[in-house]
Amino acid sequence: MTLEASLAVADGPPEPKIVNMVSTVNLGCKLDLKMIVMKARNAEYNPKRFHAVIIRIKEPKTTSLVFSSGKMVVTGAKSYIESKQAAWKYSNTVKKTGFEVSFKDFKVQNIVANCKLNYPIRLKTLAHSETLGLATYETELFPGLIYRVLKPKVVFIVFASGNIIITGAKIKEDTDKAWELMYPLIAQHGRPVNFCTIFDCSISDRRKKCT
């Protein structure tokens, strides 16, 4: 483990930030998508491209996909509360277009979070550390390493720059638990950084001190 990684582990891991939450809800009735797009605001429908009405709202800033079956998908929320609040607003929007909708089976299907480490990662060596799950690293196909933690079932996409995407959890607690397990393993494969990076010099200072 590098000095930077050791110091970072001692200080504790950075907290992952939720950037997207995908949820679903059943509106409980069949829907006429053409009628919805004619009556609802901020709605669009192009059946040749996608068989769902797309509706957007600004608060919370989210997007919904409304299907003729009555199923609805909500994306873009940053928390469970935001996601459910948005789903209620979308269901009311559909209701106002003339349908007797209900609000059934609301469920978060996926949580996407990210975080940034202040040091780069050796992906080749991390790929051989399968103590928590299964790792896939094929540079010809994708620049990041995909690490599937078995318990809880969460997927990490790790880039050499130190950027990390965490996806697959359905509750925030699973994201946090998987990160607590995975962070020390990732830190073991941290790569040394130069003097200027450690002290966060400006670009001009880096050029002066590193030449």
Side-chain angles (χ1 to χ4, degrees):
M1 186 183 296
T2 65
L3 173 61
E4 296 79 18
S6 299
L7 293 173
V9 171
D11 291 338
E15 183 176 354
K17 179 181 179 182
I18 295 177
V19 295
N20 186 26
M21 190 171 285
V22 180
S23 61
T24 57
V25 66
N26 185 359
L27 299 180
C29 65
K30 299 292 183 180
L31 302 172
D32 185 335
L33 301 185
K34 291 182 179 179
M35 182 181 295
I36 294 174
V37 77
M38 285 190 296
K39 295 184 177 182
R41 292 182 178 181
N42 302 315
E44 58 185 80
Y45 179 48
N46 187 343
K48 292 182 179 180
R49 296 180 60 186
F50 192 60
H51 294 289
V53 171
I54 301 173
I55 309 176
R56 296 180 175 86
I57 58 176
K58 293 183 178 180
E59 187 59 40
K61 189 176 181 180
T62 52
T63 300
S64 71
L65 306 175
V66 183
F67 296 87
S68 60
S69 63
K71 303 291 185 181
M72 184 171 67
V73 179
V74 178
T75 67
K78 304 297 190 296
S79 68
Y80 179 90
I81 293 175
E82 275 192 8
S83 189
K84 193 166 188 176
Q85 180 184 21
W88 271 109
K89 288 187 175 182
Y90 289 122
S91 66
N92 287 332
T93 296
V94 174
K95 185 176 182 179
K96 290 177 181 178
T97 64
F99 296 93
E100 293 296 326
V101 304
S102 55
F103 194 87
K104 299 179 180 178
D105 307 323
F106 175 83
K107 186 177 182 180
V108 173
Q109 301 292 347
N110 187 32
I111 297 173
V112 182
N114 66 16
C115 60
K116 176 71 170 72
L117 302 181
N118 58 4
Y119 50 87
I121 306 300
R122 294 188 182 96
L123 298 184
K124 289 184 178 180
T125 59
L126 178 59
H128 296 289
S129 300
E130 296 186 324
T131 56
L132 298 176
L134 303 174
T136 303
Y137 182 47
E138 299 179 5
T139 55
E140 301 84 0
L141 302 177
F142 186 67
L145 179 146
I146 300 173
Y147 200 109
R148 292 176 172 83
V149 176
L150 298 179
K151 190 176 181 181
K153 289 186 177 181
V154 175
V155 177
F156 287 78
I157 304 174
V158 185
F159 295 93
S161 62
N163 285 319
I164 299 172
I165 298 172
I166 309 169
T167 185
K170 295 186 177 183
I171 57 174
K172 184 179 181 296
E173 288 76 9
D174 280 353
T175 297
D176 295 338
K177 183 178 179 180
W179 178 234
E180 288 178 3
L181 294 171
M182 192 68 183
Y183 175 68
L185 179 63
I186 294 175
Q188 289 176 15
H189 301 276
R191 194 171 60 200
V193 293
N194 61 36
F195 176 87
C196 296
T197 304
I198 295 174
F199 289 95
D200 196 25
C201 304
S202 66
I203 294 176
S204 59
D205 288 341
R206 291 179 188 179
R207 290 175 178 172
K208 291 178 182 179
K209 294 180 181 180
C210 297
T211 56

PDB file of all heavy atoms in Angstrom, residues 127 129-135 146-151 182 185:
ATOM      1  N   ALA A 127      -7.168  -6.641 -10.097  1.00  0.00           N
ATOM      2  CA  ALA A 127      -7.922  -7.666 -10.821  1.00  0.00           C
ATOM      3  C   ALA A 127      -7.655  -9.069 -10.293  1.00  0.00           C
ATOM      4  O   ALA A 127      -8.480  -9.975 -10.456  1.00  0.00           O
ATOM      5  CB  ALA A 127      -7.591  -7.596 -12.310  1.00  0.00           C
ATOM      6  N   SER A 129      -7.167  -9.731  -7.053  1.00  0.00           N
ATOM      7  CA  SER A 129      -7.569  -9.784  -5.641  1.00  0.00           C
ATOM      8  C   SER A 129      -9.062 -10.047  -5.556  1.00  0.00           C
ATOM      9  O   SER A 129      -9.863  -9.133  -5.381  1.00  0.00           O
ATOM     10  CB  SER A 129      -7.212  -8.466  -4.949  1.00  0.00           C
ATOM     11  OG  SER A 129      -5.823  -8.225  -5.015  1.00  0.00           O
ATOM     12  N   GLU A 130      -9.428 -11.299  -5.671  1.00  0.00           N
ATOM     13  CA  GLU A 130     -10.846 -11.660  -5.703  1.00  0.00           C
ATOM     14  C   GLU A 130     -11.310 -12.203  -4.351  1.00  0.00           C
ATOM     15  O   GLU A 130     -12.046 -13.182  -4.270  1.00  0.00           O
ATOM     16  CB  GLU A 130     -11.105 -12.664  -6.824  1.00  0.00           C
ATOM     17  CG  GLU A 130     -10.838 -12.085  -8.212  1.00  0.00           C
ATOM     18  CD  GLU A 130     -11.237 -13.030  -9.327  1.00  0.00           C
ATOM     19  OE1 GLU A 130     -11.069 -14.258  -9.153  1.00  0.00           O
ATOM     20  OE2 GLU A 130     -11.711 -12.551 -10.375  1.00  0.00           O
ATOM     21  N   THR A 131     -10.910 -11.543  -3.290  1.00  0.00           N
ATOM     22  CA  THR A 131     -11.292 -11.989  -1.953  1.00  0.00           C
ATOM     23  C   THR A 131     -12.746 -11.673  -1.627  1.00  0.00           C
ATOM     24  O   THR A 131     -13.351 -12.336  -0.783  1.00  0.00           O
ATOM     25  CB  THR A 131     -10.385 -11.333  -0.901  1.00  0.00           C
ATOM     26  OG1 THR A 131     -10.449  -9.899  -1.056  1.00  0.00           O
ATOM     27  CG2 THR A 131      -8.945 -11.791  -1.067  1.00  0.00           C
ATOM     28  N   LEU A 132     -13.311 -10.650  -2.279  1.00  0.00           N
ATOM     29  CA  LEU A 132     -14.685 -10.250  -1.983  1.00  0.00           C
ATOM     30  C   LEU A 132     -15.672 -10.614  -3.085  1.00  0.00           C
ATOM     31  O   LEU A 132     -16.880 -10.491  -2.902  1.00  0.00           O
ATOM     32  CB  LEU A 132     -14.755  -8.732  -1.742  1.00  0.00           C
ATOM     33  CG  LEU A 132     -13.961  -8.197  -0.555  1.00  0.00           C
ATOM     34  CD1 LEU A 132     -14.040  -6.677  -0.512  1.00  0.00           C
ATOM     35  CD2 LEU A 132     -14.492  -8.781   0.752  1.00  0.00           C
ATOM     36  N   GLY A 133     -15.138 -11.028  -4.239  1.00  0.00           N
ATOM     37  CA  GLY A 133     -16.038 -11.332  -5.350  1.00  0.00           C
ATOM     38  C   GLY A 133     -15.260 -11.648  -6.608  1.00  0.00           C
ATOM     39  O   GLY A 133     -14.160 -12.213  -6.543  1.00  0.00           O
ATOM     40  N   LEU A 134     -15.823 -11.256  -7.745  1.00  0.00           N
ATOM     41  CA  LEU A 134     -15.240 -11.573  -9.039  1.00  0.00           C
ATOM     42  C   LEU A 134     -14.845 -10.290  -9.773  1.00  0.00           C
ATOM     43  O   LEU A 134     -15.633  -9.351  -9.851  1.00  0.00           O
ATOM     44  CB  LEU A 134     -16.254 -12.357  -9.886  1.00  0.00           C
ATOM     45  CG  LEU A 134     -16.789 -13.654  -9.261  1.00  0.00           C
ATOM     46  CD1 LEU A 134     -17.881 -14.252 -10.136  1.00  0.00           C
ATOM     47  CD2 LEU A 134     -15.658 -14.651  -9.046  1.00  0.00           C
ATOM     48  N   ALA A 135     -13.632 -10.291 -10.316  1.00  0.00           N
ATOM     49  CA  ALA A 135     -13.123  -9.118 -11.015  1.00  0.00           C
ATOM     50  C   ALA A 135     -12.977  -9.388 -12.502  1.00  0.00           C
ATOM     51  O   ALA A 135     -12.577 -10.493 -12.907  1.00  0.00           O
ATOM     52  CB  ALA A 135     -11.772  -8.696 -10.430  1.00  0.00           C
ATOM     53  N   ILE A 146     -14.160  -4.040 -13.511  1.00  0.00           N
ATOM     54  CA  ILE A 146     -15.489  -4.329 -12.965  1.00  0.00           C
ATOM     55  C   ILE A 146     -15.329  -5.374 -11.867  1.00  0.00           C
ATOM     56  O   ILE A 146     -14.832  -6.475 -12.111  1.00  0.00           O
ATOM     57  CB  ILE A 146     -16.436  -4.837 -14.067  1.00  0.00           C
ATOM     58  CG1 ILE A 146     -16.577  -3.778 -15.166  1.00  0.00           C
ATOM     59  CG2 ILE A 146     -17.804  -5.184 -13.465  1.00  0.00           C
ATOM     60  CD1 ILE A 146     -17.354  -4.258 -16.377  1.00  0.00           C
ATOM     61  N   TYR A 147     -15.734  -5.001 -10.674  1.00  0.00           N
ATOM     62  CA  TYR A 147     -15.582  -5.898  -9.515  1.00  0.00           C
ATOM     63  C   TYR A 147     -16.968  -6.162  -8.934  1.00  0.00           C
ATOM     64  O   TYR A 147     -17.641  -5.252  -8.447  1.00  0.00           O
ATOM     65  CB  TYR A 147     -14.673  -5.255  -8.466  1.00  0.00           C
ATOM     66  CG  TYR A 147     -14.082  -6.246  -7.489  1.00  0.00           C
ATOM     67  CD1 TYR A 147     -12.724  -6.567  -7.528  1.00  0.00           C
ATOM     68  CD2 TYR A 147     -14.866  -6.859  -6.519  1.00  0.00           C
ATOM     69  CE1 TYR A 147     -12.171  -7.468  -6.640  1.00  0.00           C
ATOM     70  CE2 TYR A 147     -14.329  -7.772  -5.630  1.00  0.00           C
ATOM     71  CZ  TYR A 147     -12.974  -8.067  -5.682  1.00  0.00           C
ATOM     72  OH  TYR A 147     -12.426  -8.975  -4.805  1.00  0.00           O
ATOM     73  N   ARG A 148     -17.382  -7.411  -8.978  1.00  0.00           N
ATOM     74  CA  ARG A 148     -18.701  -7.803  -8.473  1.00  0.00           C
ATOM     75  C   ARG A 148     -18.573  -8.381  -7.067  1.00  0.00           C
ATOM     76  O   ARG A 148     -18.109  -9.505  -6.895  1.00  0.00           O
ATOM     77  CB  ARG A 148     -19.344  -8.815  -9.416  1.00  0.00           C
ATOM     78  CG  ARG A 148     -19.718  -8.228 -10.768  1.00  0.00           C
ATOM     79  CD  ARG A 148     -20.263  -9.297 -11.720  1.00  0.00           C
ATOM     80  NE  ARG A 148     -20.799  -8.703 -12.941  1.00  0.00           N
ATOM     81  CZ  ARG A 148     -20.047  -8.368 -13.989  1.00  0.00           C
ATOM     82  NH1 ARG A 148     -18.734  -8.606 -13.960  1.00  0.00           N
ATOM     83  NH2 ARG A 148     -20.583  -7.810 -15.048  1.00  0.00           N
ATOM     84  N   VAL A 149     -18.960  -7.604  -6.091  1.00  0.00           N
ATOM     85  CA  VAL A 149     -18.962  -8.070  -4.703  1.00  0.00           C
ATOM     86  C   VAL A 149     -20.133  -9.037  -4.534  1.00  0.00           C
ATOM     87  O   VAL A 149     -21.254  -8.773  -4.975  1.00  0.00           O
ATOM     88  CB  VAL A 149     -19.094  -6.882  -3.729  1.00  0.00           C
ATOM     89  CG1 VAL A 149     -19.187  -7.376  -2.289  1.00  0.00           C
ATOM     90  CG2 VAL A 149     -17.909  -5.937  -3.891  1.00  0.00           C
ATOM     91  N   LEU A 150     -19.861 -10.168  -3.877  1.00  0.00           N
ATOM     92  CA  LEU A 150     -20.880 -11.213  -3.757  1.00  0.00           C
ATOM     93  C   LEU A 150     -21.901 -10.926  -2.660  1.00  0.00           C
ATOM     94  O   LEU A 150     -23.080 -11.253  -2.805  1.00  0.00           O
ATOM     95  CB  LEU A 150     -20.200 -12.567  -3.503  1.00  0.00           C
ATOM     96  CG  LEU A 150     -19.268 -13.054  -4.617  1.00  0.00           C
ATOM     97  CD1 LEU A 150     -18.639 -14.390  -4.245  1.00  0.00           C
ATOM     98  CD2 LEU A 150     -20.024 -13.171  -5.936  1.00  0.00           C
ATOM     99  N   LYS A 151     -21.447 -10.304  -1.563  1.00  0.00           N
ATOM    100  CA  LYS A 151     -22.362 -10.031  -0.463  1.00  0.00           C
ATOM    101  C   LYS A 151     -21.957  -8.738   0.242  1.00  0.00           C
ATOM    102  O   LYS A 151     -20.892  -8.701   0.844  1.00  0.00           O
ATOM    103  CB  LYS A 151     -22.377 -11.202   0.520  1.00  0.00           C
ATOM    104  CG  LYS A 151     -23.469 -11.107   1.569  1.00  0.00           C
ATOM    105  CD  LYS A 151     -23.510 -12.348   2.454  1.00  0.00           C
ATOM    106  CE  LYS A 151     -24.621 -12.255   3.479  1.00  0.00           C
ATOM    107  NZ  LYS A 151     -24.682 -13.435   4.362  1.00  0.00           N
ATOM    108  N   MET A 182     -14.974  -2.869   0.431  1.00  0.00           N
ATOM    109  CA  MET A 182     -14.167  -2.760  -0.777  1.00  0.00           C
ATOM    110  C   MET A 182     -13.071  -1.704  -0.668  1.00  0.00           C
ATOM    111  O   MET A 182     -11.996  -1.861  -1.271  1.00  0.00           O
ATOM    112  CB  MET A 182     -15.091  -2.424  -1.957  1.00  0.00           C
ATOM    113  CG  MET A 182     -14.460  -2.548  -3.318  1.00  0.00           C
ATOM    114  SD  MET A 182     -14.088  -4.266  -3.738  1.00  0.00           S
ATOM    115  CE  MET A 182     -13.281  -4.026  -5.334  1.00  0.00           C
ATOM    116  N   LEU A 185      -9.514  -2.822   0.284  1.00  0.00           N
ATOM    117  CA  LEU A 185      -8.936  -3.637  -0.780  1.00  0.00           C
ATOM    118  C   LEU A 185      -8.432  -2.764  -1.920  1.00  0.00           C
ATOM    119  O   LEU A 185      -7.326  -2.959  -2.441  1.00  0.00           O
ATOM    120  CB  LEU A 185      -9.970  -4.640  -1.289  1.00  0.00           C
ATOM    121  CG  LEU A 185      -9.511  -5.562  -2.425  1.00  0.00           C
ATOM    122  CD1 LEU A 185      -8.362  -6.446  -1.952  1.00  0.00           C
ATOM    123  CD2 LEU A 185     -10.678  -6.414  -2.921  1.00  0.00           C
TER     124      LEU A 185
END
